[in-house]
């Protein structure tokens, strides 16, 4: 039985890592969000793909949630002295990924091929695939006007109040070839939506027509709630929910995915919501969802996979 | 009295540095060679401008002759692990220069403006100006066919036998605006050809029609020989001369610039050639031309400037 994990950000990377510890390479496909991707200093930067790749390769920086561990910052210091832009911090080692990716893209390789090549070089055995080979940039609608994702997230540190999100280029986009191929060959038995930000990690994936159509088939789908005890483990998910007038709780998450998912995995801290979620028609797994260690990542993955197998059965 | 120094490579950078110690900022304009410029990993790299800029800023790497001192190499190590190109070594600090230059060029600034801005940020007071704002790439003709300069110089380590050099794009190129302006405003009283490689540092400058026309006016011109005792201080000048059937000596250098220069500065090691050079119609200054220290750079500059003033007088 093969699983497709939809992933973005740190929660997505951790869950993908857990699934990679619990499944052989041929039984897992990780579809990475590309809504955060942008071009900076001429370099094509794919923050979610990189966070997932570095996490699976054991190279992720545990402090920042992005970039690589044991990083140095000599380029950034030097470009600051030259009056260049420093708002998006690029580490010296991380730069190699962006330079090599940009080189390969410029040479005509698709993003999916580049991502698979980089993963292979870093010893990642499981397949990480961008959801599309063409950009689907997230536009953040705020009280201060529309912003690109990185302007909102990094430059403005999520400060502006959000009023909505748009994925204007999604309608014209198609799934990346390897993802399209896996779907067409009926290789995917179940979809797992990782505990990622629903608005800026998962929705940009769901906005691609080919993905939406696939999820409308009878493939079982489950989501791990990124909200635990009314808070996001990392990132602005809870803040966004509040600003959009949505309850920052597992109920808000369940409502977001209503009609899409068959099951939801919530933390024991939210056990009290279990019955309400079940009565809305969802199957519910209550467990420890906070991935504080590799052991907890793996056990959450294993419990989620058992739950998924029951969903399908 | 204001001087225009034509410079490329390490010899050019050292001489330009000496001149900058001997002249106030308003009396020196350094025209840098751009024949070595190329695009690597999407970055616009200008090796000669950078070597001159770093040298004037006191940041040059004394061991390599290129790049900055106290450099780190974490990007290069990381891109090697990714299977990316490593034949042209880019240090982490040096990368900032290429990224910021490329960013500014992409935004539409001319190379001359970008170079002046970078120099200013690094505290360089004297003006360094690329000879043109558009590329004039040097093509090296070899026994193995035509090569770009960096393919010949770095990738092939100057191994192929050279048969000639071409600057195909020079005919259509014009001087950079600040250089054109300085000429049109009669700001230049004398031209000093630095002890740079005649074929790949100076000829690409002379190939630009606007520069050739200016040198054909009655402005006094002198050259400091890059060949001392039959050898080049640094780089492949002597090797190239031999392969082209030219004597790798100050006589060979004098012949190369015959009809262009009024005077030549040669090292005391080559004093024996003085009379022969004088009889060919050139004025000759014999002095210590090997710039082993900042003091020697400055004294060579001062002697050269006195010689130039006599030439003009």
């Amino acid at each position: 039985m093969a699983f497709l994990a939809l992933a973005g950000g740190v929660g997505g990377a951790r869950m993908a890592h857990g699934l990679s510890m619990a499944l052989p390479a041929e039984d897992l496909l990780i579809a990475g969000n590309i809504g955060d991707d942008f071009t900076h200093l001429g370099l094509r930067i794919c923050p979610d793909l990189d966070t997932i790749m570095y996490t699976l390769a054991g190279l992720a920086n545990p402090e920042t949630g992005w970039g690589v561990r044991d990083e140095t910052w000599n380029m950034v210091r030097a470009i600051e002295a030259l009056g260049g832009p420093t708002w998006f911090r690029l580490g010296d080692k991380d730069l190699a990924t962006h330079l090599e990716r940009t080189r390969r893209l410029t040479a005509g390789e698709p993003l999916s091929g580049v991502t698979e090549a980089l993963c292979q070089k870093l010893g990642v055995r499981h397949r990480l695939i961008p959801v599309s080979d063409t950009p689907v940039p997230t536009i953040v609608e705020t009280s201060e006007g529309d912003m690109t994702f990185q302007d909102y997230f990094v430059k403005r540190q999520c400060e502006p109040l959000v009023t909505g999100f748009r994925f204007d280029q999604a309608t014209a986009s198609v799934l990346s070839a390897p993802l399209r191929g896996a779907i067409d060959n009926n290789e995917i038995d179940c979809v797992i939506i990782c505990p990622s930000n629903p608005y800026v990690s998962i929705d940009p994936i769901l906005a691609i027509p080919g993905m939406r159509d696939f999820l409308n088939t009878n493939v079982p789908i489950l989501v791990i709630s990124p909200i635990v005890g009314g808070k996001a483990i990392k990132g602005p998910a809870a803040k966004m929910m509040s600003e959009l007038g949505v309850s920052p709780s597992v109920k808000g998450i369940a409502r977001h995915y209503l009609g899409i998912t068959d099951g939801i995995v919530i933390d024991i801290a939210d056990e009290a919501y279990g019955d309400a979620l079940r009565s809305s028609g969802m199957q519910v797994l209550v467990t420890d969802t906070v991935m504080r260690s590799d052991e907890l990542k793996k056990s959450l993955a294993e419990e989620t996979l058992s739950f998924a197998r029951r969903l399908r059965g």
Side-chain angles (χ1 to χ4, degrees), chain A residues 22-263:
Chain A
L23 287 169
E26 62 272 21
D27 286 351
L28 178 64
L29 210 56
I30 304 155
N33 172 41
I34 57 166
D36 305 4
D37 296 6
F38 75 128
T39 300
H40 180 61
L41 288 170
L43 305 173
R44 192 66 187 160
I45 298 179
C46 304
D48 280 359
L49 294 179
D50 288 349
T51 296
I52 299 167
M53 177 175 76
Y54 290 148
T55 301
L56 293 179
L59 296 174
N61 185 326
E63 279 93 50
T64 53
W66 51 269
V68 299
R69 63 168 71 220
D70 305 321
E71 185 58 285
T72 61
W73 304 94
N74 290 318
M75 188 290 287
V76 155
R77 269 184 224 115
I79 208 168
E80 184 165 25
L82 295 175
T86 56
W87 64 272
F88 194 88
R89 288 178 65 75
L90 291 168
D92 300 328
K93 297 177 185 179
D94 185 37
L95 259 173
T97 300
H98 312 310
L99 284 163
E100 177 63 0
R101 174 190 292 121
T102 306
R103 185 188 73 78
R104 285 173 170 260
L105 290 174
T106 305
E109 291 184 52
L111 181 61
S112 52
V114 175
T115 306
E116 291 207 71
L118 295 178
C119 282
Q120 197 218 320
K121 285 288 182 183
L122 294 182
V124 175
R125 290 177 308 110
H126 293 75
R127 293 183 77 192
L128 167 63
I129 299 173
V131 71
S132 178
D133 279 320
T134 57
V136 186
T138 298
I139 304 295
V140 185
E141 301 172 334
T142 81
S143 54
E144 303 177 32
D146 289 355
M147 296 184 185
T148 64
F149 180 76
Q150 298 300 341
D151 276 352
Y152 165 80
F153 189 68
V154 179
K155 207 180 255 178
R156 297 296 312 277
Q157 297 282 304
C158 306
E159 192 199 295
L161 300 183
V162 300
T163 56
F165 303 91
R166 293 202 320 277
F167 317 101
D168 293 343
Q169 292 178 51
T171 4
S173 71
V174 298
L175 294 173
S176 61
L179 206 48
R180 182 76 265 165
I183 289 172
D184 290 347
N185 294 329
N186 297 308
E187 287 171 22
I188 299 162
D189 303 301
C190 179
V191 177
I192 294 171
I193 300 178
C194 292
S196 302
N197 187 306
Y199 305 111
V200 295
S201 289
I202 303 301
D203 281 359
I205 298 177
L206 306 186
I208 295 169
M211 181 59 73
R212 198 174 279 271
D213 292 347
F214 172 59
L215 298 188
N216 281 334
T217 63
N218 65 353
V219 63
I221 304 170
L222 62 82
V223 60
I224 297 100
S225 174
I227 298 287
V228 172
K231 295 203 174 83
I233 300 299
K234 194 155 177 74
K239 179 177 184 289
M240 287 174 173
M241 293 174 86
S242 297
E243 290 169 6
L244 293 169
V246 175
S247 152
S249 66
V250 293
K251 283 180 82 173
I253 294 294
R255 200 171 301 120
H256 188 84
Y257 290 112
L258 201 67
I260 299 174
T261 55
D262 307 289

